[in-house]
Amino acid sequence: MKQDIRFDSQGSSCAAWFFQPDTEGPYPIVVMAHGLAAIKEMRLAAYAEKFAEAGYASLVFDYRHFGESDGEPRQLLDVKKQHQDWKAAIEFARQLPGVDPKRVVLWGTSLSGGHVLQVASEVPGIAAVMAQVPHLSGVASLGMISLPKILSLTLHGSYDTLRGMLGLSPHYILSSGEPGELAIMTSPGESQGYLELVPEDRQLDRRIAARFATSVGLYSPIKALSKLSMPVLMQVATEDVTTPAKPGIKAAPKYANVELREYQTGHFQPYVEPMFSRIVGDQLAFLSTAVPL
């Protein structure tokens, strides 16, 4: 059963879906949110439905400033604010009917795949973490793009940061675009893969406040791995040109609690068939042992 629901984060209302399994509680809950400037309608329900069929509840939410959540200005991506939203969602999830508050699992993908690692290191009592094609290293991500693009994004990001300091409206760039366009994701085929996740009856605001471009290179949540003791599933795509797999492949073997899965695919293929069934199947197998019913 899927229910529209809302919760408070720092005084603003976040839109969410609550998926309940057709079983008696108390049951574990998987807290879920999307990646870069994406919204919950972009295929997250497909995962939550699979989890519910297996007996796990899910709370799927949009960050402040995005989708159906409140927050002004729109399309403002601030990593600290998104971490606050995760913490508010976790607290809310623990109070939902039928949920076992001691069995909360964090599920993140792309940028939020990094968020779940960082947040799990700061919130007590997280039972397990699943990080799908995660953003792990800002330096590694910057290494995937050209110097001219880095300089252009830095210029636009600095201008937007100044506007923010002066209390002015944001200066926007695109979250995704074709090669040569001013956008965060511009590798060949990436924008198409990103936009194909948007339902036909839904319009996606592709803008993003440019100030994010000055902070993403400094964000390396892979450092949080050393602070985690709960089971972690890390799923990386070896052909990923948006969130490179190499940092995860290098780091994961150092930690006994981290299960690394490698897939010969790109960044957006895990969300759709035929790769989706394999990806979510591995997540369900992980849940069955890490957080058994």
Side-chain angles (χ1 to χ4, degrees):
M1 181 176 68
K2 172 184 159 186
Q3 177 184 352
D4 289 317
I5 199 165
R6 302 186 75 90
F7 64 89
D8 177 81
S9 179
Q10 303 293 310
S12 293
S13 177
C14 289
W17 293 327
F18 179 36
F19 290 79
Q20 290 177 277
D22 188 21
T23 57
E24 292 288 332
Y27 29 67
I29 187 165
V30 183
V31 182
M32 309 173 61
H34 226 309
L36 176 74
I39 55 178
K40 63 185 186 300
E41 286 80 6
M42 294 167 68
R43 289 285 294 171
L44 293 195
Y47 295 88
E49 288 167 357
K50 292 291 186 182
F51 298 151
E53 290 173 6
Y56 297 84
S58 294
L59 179 70
V60 184
F61 72 94
D62 281 333
Y63 300 107
R64 285 174 291 164
H65 308 280
F66 291 92
E68 296 178 341
S69 292
D70 294 343
E72 295 291 340
R74 302 306 294 168
Q75 305 302 112
L76 175 65
L77 200 169
D78 183 295
V79 169
K80 181 179 178 181
K81 287 178 180 290
Q82 293 197 343
H83 287 176
Q84 291 172 341
D85 294 345
W86 271 100
K87 293 172 183 178
I90 293 166
E91 182 179 359
F92 180 71
R94 284 177 162 154
Q95 301 172 31
L96 286 168
V99 167
D100 182 348
K102 295 181 180 179
R103 292 190 291 169
V104 174
V105 179
L106 306 188
W107 182 101
T109 185
S110 194
L111 183 63
S112 69
H115 288 349
V116 293
L117 299 178
Q118 185 62 44
V119 171
S121 74
E122 299 173 359
V123 176
I126 299 301
V129 175
M130 295 186 286
Q132 175 181 287
V133 291
H135 169 87
L136 297 172
S137 166
V139 173
S141 293
L142 288 179
M144 303 292 284
I145 61 179
S146 67
L147 180 58
K149 180 180 176 180
I150 292 175
L151 294 176
S152 177
L153 289 175
T154 300
L155 177 63
H156 285 269
S158 298
Y159 173 58
D160 183 46
T161 298
L162 178 60
R163 291 184 64 86
M165 293 172 62
L166 296 175
L168 302 175
S169 60
H171 166 63
Y172 293 106
I173 59 177
L174 293 177
S175 54
S176 72
E178 297 303 315
E181 285 191 281
L182 179 62
I184 298 293
M185 296 182 291
T186 57
S187 297
E190 293 298 84
S191 186
Q192 179 182 355
Y194 180 69
L195 296 177
E196 284 179 351
L197 303 181
V198 184
E200 291 183 359
D201 61 348
R202 183 81 183 186
Q203 285 191 330
L204 176 68
D205 189 341
R206 292 172 59 198
R207 301 174 303 159
I208 184 172
R211 67 197 71 174
F212 174 68
T214 63
S215 63
V216 64
L218 303 175
Y219 183 43
S220 296
I222 195 170
K223 297 174 184 177
L225 272 183
S226 63
K227 303 175 184 178
L228 303 183
S229 58
M230 75 288 291
V232 175
L233 173 64
M234 185 180 296
Q235 297 173 297
V236 300
T238 57
E239 298 175 1
D240 197 329
V241 293
T242 296
T243 56
K246 187 175 180 180
I249 294 172
K250 182 179 179 181
K254 300 177 184 178
Y255 306 100
N257 61 312
V258 178
E259 178 182 337
L260 177 69
R261 294 279 182 160
E262 299 179 42
Y263 308 87
Q264 190 176 355
T265 192
H267 188 71
F268 290 105
Q269 285 73 21
Y271 301 95
V272 294
E273 297 293 4
M275 187 57 66
F276 170 75
S277 289
R278 182 180 172 193
I279 293 285
V280 77
D282 287 345
Q283 292 171 6
L284 290 168
F286 170 79
L287 285 174
S288 69
T289 57
V291 191
L293 296 172

